[in-house]
Amino acid sequence: MKKIPALILSFILLLVIIPMLSQIIYCSTQTVVEKVMHLPTQNVDSSQETEASKENVVTVFREESNSYEELLLEEYIVGVVAGEMPAAYELEALKAQAVAARTYTLNQLQSEDYMHDTVKHQVYFDESQMRERWGDEFDKYYSKVKQAVLETEGEIIEYNGEMITPFYFSISNGYTENAEDYWSVEYPYLKSVSSQWDLTAPTYEQVTEFSLTALRNTFNDSSLTKNDFKILSYTDGGNVEEISVGDTVYSGREFREKLGLRSSDFSLEFKDNKVFITTYGYGHGVGMSQYGANQLAKQGKNYQEILQYYYQNVNIIEKNS
């Protein structure tokens, strides 16, 4: 009779223990299944992050050292803004430069593997070069340039849904240039606009002296006289469109490049055996005038307004937005 209560107790324990074991096995299995099911998602995210990080790396060719350097995109843009625009300029002008430089970089990297650190692409300064340029004001200017980049992080310029080629230059002659008048290639967003603020630039007008002999050597014609140099026409932006030198007609751009002039808006004055060429502005004149951008910023314009003035009918958006 004593065995009956024991049997009953064993039966009751089985009724309690079996469901508990089943629940434990189920939960363990569920945990394993959940972990396995999440693995592919984690792998995909990791892969996407890797690809995204690759897209945000810029390879820079350092011409002086003949070496390559890999930089994060925004770090590179800090170096470009430092190299391309005076850090004393207004913050909104520096922000406009940051967006233009970022757009130019990403546009170029669609077809090229690296960026030159010179005017061949964009001037890039590393920290040592910044310190050399800014001296005791390094902390002040570095902080300002970095702020301009961070506050526009990821922003680019688009026209009709495509990244533009945002050319920029130092000082205009009072007007920017139609792209087709300088490069013979038309860009609908690179049209001549007034930039009269540039006339106040301290280095707006510069005189370069040549000997007549030097010009004869440059153009490979020993018979040239002052009467053989004639400006034939001007562009909409007021630059020299064509100039004849002896029997040959050159574009203003070709003449500028042969003599290393600051711009293709120039005048010539002959005295004795010397030639004085006065240039107005500095750079090719296409796109955004950096000096003009600074003057607009001083007038209270923000970086988006500055960019949309110099690049017509464009939108400023965040990349991949």
Side-chain angles (χ1 to χ4, degrees), residues 78-102:
V78 169
V80 172
V81 175
E84 286 283 0
M85 179 175 274
Y89 275 13
E90 298 290 314
L91 180 62
E92 292 301 310
L94 292 169
K95 288 161 75 171
Q97 179 65 60
V99 177
R102 185 182 297 109

Short mmCIF file of all heavy atoms in Angstrom, two decimals, residues 78-102:
data_model
loop_
_atom_site.label_atom_id
_atom_site.label_comp_id
_atom_site.label_asym_id
_atom_site.label_seq_id
_atom_site.Cartn_x
_atom_site.Cartn_y
_atom_site.Cartn_z
N VAL A 78 38.67 69.11 -46.47
CA VAL A 78 39.28 70.10 -45.58
C VAL A 78 40.60 70.59 -46.17
O VAL A 78 40.88 71.79 -46.24
CB VAL A 78 39.51 69.52 -44.17
CG1 VAL A 78 40.38 70.47 -43.33
CG2 VAL A 78 38.19 69.28 -43.46
N GLY A 79 41.42 69.65 -46.65
CA GLY A 79 42.71 70.01 -47.24
C GLY A 79 42.58 70.79 -48.53
O GLY A 79 43.41 71.66 -48.83
N VAL A 80 41.52 70.51 -49.30
CA VAL A 80 41.30 71.24 -50.55
C VAL A 80 40.83 72.67 -50.28
O VAL A 80 41.33 73.63 -50.90
CB VAL A 80 40.28 70.51 -51.44
CG1 VAL A 80 39.90 71.37 -52.65
CG2 VAL A 80 40.84 69.17 -51.91
N VAL A 81 39.90 72.82 -49.37
CA VAL A 81 39.43 74.18 -49.03
C VAL A 81 40.61 75.01 -48.50
O VAL A 81 40.77 76.17 -48.87
CB VAL A 81 38.29 74.13 -48.00
CG1 VAL A 81 37.91 75.54 -47.56
CG2 VAL A 81 37.08 73.41 -48.58
N ALA A 82 41.45 74.39 -47.68
CA ALA A 82 42.64 75.07 -47.16
C ALA A 82 43.59 75.47 -48.27
O ALA A 82 44.22 76.53 -48.23
CB ALA A 82 43.36 74.18 -46.15
N GLY A 83 43.71 74.63 -49.29
CA GLY A 83 44.64 74.89 -50.38
C GLY A 83 44.10 75.80 -51.46
O GLY A 83 44.86 76.50 -52.13
N GLU A 84 42.78 75.82 -51.61
CA GLU A 84 42.18 76.54 -52.74
C GLU A 84 41.63 77.92 -52.41
O GLU A 84 41.50 78.75 -53.29
CB GLU A 84 41.05 75.70 -53.34
CG GLU A 84 41.54 74.49 -54.15
CD GLU A 84 42.05 74.87 -55.53
OE1 GLU A 84 42.04 76.07 -55.87
OE2 GLU A 84 42.48 73.97 -56.27
N MET A 85 41.26 78.17 -51.14
CA MET A 85 40.62 79.44 -50.80
C MET A 85 41.26 80.03 -49.55
O MET A 85 41.54 79.30 -48.60
CB MET A 85 39.11 79.25 -50.58
CG MET A 85 38.36 80.50 -50.19
SD MET A 85 36.55 80.26 -50.06
CE MET A 85 36.06 80.52 -51.79
N PRO A 86 41.48 81.33 -49.51
CA PRO A 86 42.03 81.95 -48.30
C PRO A 86 41.14 81.68 -47.09
O PRO A 86 39.93 81.91 -47.15
CB PRO A 86 42.06 83.45 -48.64
CG PRO A 86 42.13 83.49 -50.14
CD PRO A 86 41.30 82.32 -50.61
N ALA A 87 41.72 81.18 -46.02
CA ALA A 87 40.93 80.84 -44.83
C ALA A 87 40.37 82.09 -44.15
O ALA A 87 39.46 81.97 -43.32
CB ALA A 87 41.80 80.05 -43.86
N ALA A 88 40.88 83.26 -44.49
CA ALA A 88 40.37 84.51 -43.93
C ALA A 88 39.02 84.89 -44.54
O ALA A 88 38.33 85.78 -44.03
CB ALA A 88 41.38 85.63 -44.14
N TYR A 89 38.63 84.22 -45.61
CA TYR A 89 37.35 84.51 -46.25
C TYR A 89 36.20 84.18 -45.30
O TYR A 89 36.35 83.44 -44.32
CB TYR A 89 37.21 83.71 -47.54
CG TYR A 89 37.85 84.35 -48.76
CD1 TYR A 89 38.72 85.43 -48.65
CD2 TYR A 89 37.60 83.87 -50.04
CE1 TYR A 89 39.30 86.01 -49.77
CE2 TYR A 89 38.17 84.45 -51.17
CZ TYR A 89 39.02 85.52 -51.02
OH TYR A 89 39.58 86.10 -52.13
N GLU A 90 35.04 84.70 -45.63
CA GLU A 90 33.84 84.47 -44.83
C GLU A 90 33.48 82.99 -44.78
O GLU A 90 33.74 82.25 -45.74
CB GLU A 90 32.66 85.25 -45.42
CG GLU A 90 32.83 86.75 -45.43
CD GLU A 90 32.78 87.35 -44.04
OE1 GLU A 90 31.88 86.99 -43.27
OE2 GLU A 90 33.66 88.18 -43.73
N LEU A 91 32.86 82.57 -43.68
CA LEU A 91 32.50 81.17 -43.50
C LEU A 91 31.59 80.67 -44.62
O LEU A 91 31.77 79.55 -45.13
CB LEU A 91 31.81 80.96 -42.14
CG LEU A 91 31.38 79.52 -41.84
CD1 LEU A 91 32.58 78.57 -41.79
CD2 LEU A 91 30.60 79.47 -40.52
N GLU A 92 30.62 81.48 -45.04
CA GLU A 92 29.70 81.05 -46.09
C GLU A 92 30.41 80.85 -47.42
O GLU A 92 30.04 79.99 -48.22
CB GLU A 92 28.53 82.02 -46.23
CG GLU A 92 27.58 82.04 -45.04
CD GLU A 92 26.96 80.68 -44.76
OE1 GLU A 92 26.43 80.07 -45.71
OE2 GLU A 92 27.00 80.23 -43.59
N ALA A 93 31.44 81.64 -47.67
CA ALA A 93 32.24 81.46 -48.89
C ALA A 93 33.02 80.15 -48.80
O ALA A 93 33.12 79.40 -49.78
CB ALA A 93 33.20 82.64 -49.09
N LEU A 94 33.58 79.87 -47.62
CA LEU A 94 34.32 78.61 -47.42
C LEU A 94 33.38 77.41 -47.57
O LEU A 94 33.77 76.37 -48.11
CB LEU A 94 34.97 78.61 -46.04
CG LEU A 94 36.11 79.62 -45.84
CD1 LEU A 94 36.49 79.71 -44.37
CD2 LEU A 94 37.33 79.24 -46.68
N LYS A 95 32.14 77.55 -47.13
CA LYS A 95 31.17 76.47 -47.27
C LYS A 95 30.82 76.25 -48.74
O LYS A 95 30.69 75.11 -49.21
CB LYS A 95 29.92 76.78 -46.44
CG LYS A 95 30.16 76.64 -44.94
CD LYS A 95 29.12 77.35 -44.10
CE LYS A 95 27.81 76.62 -44.05
NZ LYS A 95 26.89 77.23 -43.04
N ALA A 96 30.69 77.34 -49.49
CA ALA A 96 30.44 77.22 -50.94
C ALA A 96 31.61 76.50 -51.60
O ALA A 96 31.42 75.63 -52.46
CB ALA A 96 30.24 78.61 -51.56
N GLN A 97 32.82 76.84 -51.18
CA GLN A 97 34.01 76.18 -51.73
C GLN A 97 34.03 74.70 -51.38
O GLN A 97 34.39 73.86 -52.21
CB GLN A 97 35.28 76.85 -51.18
CG GLN A 97 36.57 76.23 -51.66
CD GLN A 97 36.78 76.40 -53.15
OE1 GLN A 97 36.83 77.51 -53.66
NE2 GLN A 97 36.88 75.30 -53.88
N ALA A 98 33.62 74.36 -50.16
CA ALA A 98 33.60 72.96 -49.73
C ALA A 98 32.64 72.14 -50.59
O ALA A 98 32.98 71.03 -51.03
CB ALA A 98 33.21 72.86 -48.26
N VAL A 99 31.46 72.67 -50.86
CA VAL A 99 30.47 71.94 -51.66
C VAL A 99 30.96 71.81 -53.10
O VAL A 99 30.82 70.75 -53.72
CB VAL A 99 29.10 72.64 -51.61
CG1 VAL A 99 28.09 71.92 -52.51
CG2 VAL A 99 28.57 72.68 -50.18
N ALA A 100 31.54 72.88 -53.64
CA ALA A 100 32.06 72.83 -55.01
C ALA A 100 33.20 71.82 -55.10
O ALA A 100 33.26 71.01 -56.04
CB ALA A 100 32.55 74.22 -55.44
N ALA A 101 34.10 71.83 -54.12
CA ALA A 101 35.25 70.91 -54.14
C ALA A 101 34.80 69.47 -54.00
O ALA A 101 35.34 68.57 -54.65
CB ALA A 101 36.22 71.27 -53.01
N ARG A 102 33.82 69.23 -53.14
CA ARG A 102 33.31 67.86 -52.95
C ARG A 102 32.65 67.35 -54.24
O ARG A 102 32.86 66.21 -54.66
CB ARG A 102 32.30 67.83 -51.80
CG ARG A 102 31.81 66.43 -51.44
CD ARG A 102 30.78 66.47 -50.33
NE ARG A 102 31.34 67.00 -49.09
CZ ARG A 102 31.02 68.21 -48.58
NH1 ARG A 102 30.15 68.98 -49.20
NH2 ARG A 102 31.57 68.60 -47.45
#
